[in-house]
Amino acid sequence: MKSDRSEAQPLLRPARIEDAAQVIPLLYQAIGDIAYALAGEDEHEKAMQILQQFYVQEDNRISYRNITVMEQDEQVAGILVAYDGGEADLLDQPILDRPGRSTDEKYTLVKETRPGEYYLDTLSVSEAYQGQGIGKALMAAFEQQGRKLGHSQVSLIVERDNGRALMLYERQGYIKDEVIVIAGHEYNHMVKPIL
């Protein structure tokens, strides 16, 4: 017999500070090695602690203020990190200014977005909730947020060898417009008009 809780509808909501312990693993699941570049640290546990510290602050790209979560069964089932591409440098400055951040070239932050774009930094769905339409709902929420904020174009990056994701985004109307290299991996920068 199923409980009523498992039949609860997913809830799309802004992230909260107290979501940190569930959000950071989903962030890492999606961005992999980029997490170490953001943290400026290659020891995993320390890097995750640094990302969690940035999450609870208000003025950087992975701040809870730039994150939308999909909650299911009182768990964070998926996350969406998005912001105005024109604010990317401002949002990266606290990350670059972190005391103790390594200056090693491998931790250089690469510009992933441009002014005039509403940028999908990260989309991640918990393994336990994959295949339930959560990623699709988060993508729709991202594009709606972009429209609501007055943007005419959205953008994202996808690893060049991730053919499945590439096909998914192309089917949704995203077009490749350049290749960028981040943390030693090649990514397609993709754009989509939303007006």
Side-chain angles (χ1 to χ4, degrees), residues 16-150:
R16 298 186 287 247
I17 288 175
E18 57 269 22
D19 295 325
Q22 293 183 70
V23 169
I24 296 305
L26 289 175
L27 183 76
Y28 176 70
Q29 172 184 290
I31 68 174
D33 291 346
I34 296 172
Y36 303 114
L38 285 172
E41 167 65 51
D42 64 2
E43 196 277 303
H44 182 76
E45 288 305 316
K46 190 169 183 186
M48 296 306 106
Q49 289 171 351
I50 291 166
L51 295 183
Q52 192 157 332
Q53 290 166 4
F54 283 125
Y55 172 83
V56 301
Q57 296 170 10
E58 298 188 358
D59 60 351
N60 66 81
R61 74 159 85 171
I62 62 169
S63 165
Y64 72 95
R65 296 183 68 158
N66 295 323
I67 300 176
T68 301
V69 302
M70 182 69 78
E71 183 181 291
Q72 176 77 42
D73 305 326
E74 299 178 18
Q75 297 295 311
V76 174
I79 64 167
L80 157 68
V81 181
Y83 47 84
D84 182 327
E87 295 179 5
D89 289 337
L90 189 63
L91 292 170
D92 281 348
Q93 204 56 55
I95 293 169
L96 295 170
D97 291 344
R98 180 183 67 78
R101 177 182 175 80
S102 172
T103 56
D104 190 307
E105 189 177 311
K106 69 182 179 181
Y107 299 126
T108 300
L109 293 185
V110 176
K111 191 132 184 157
E112 300 172 20
T113 183
R114 302 181 286 252
E117 301 174 338
Y118 190 59
Y119 181 61
L120 175 64
D121 183 289
T122 307
L123 185 130
S124 185
V125 178
S126 169
E127 286 187 23
Y129 293 96
Q130 289 179 5
Q132 299 178 27
I134 290 171
K136 189 174 182 179
L138 287 166
M139 281 298 294
F142 160 66
E143 292 179 11
Q144 182 59 35
Q145 287 172 359
R147 278 187 211 94
K148 186 177 175 183
L149 293 169

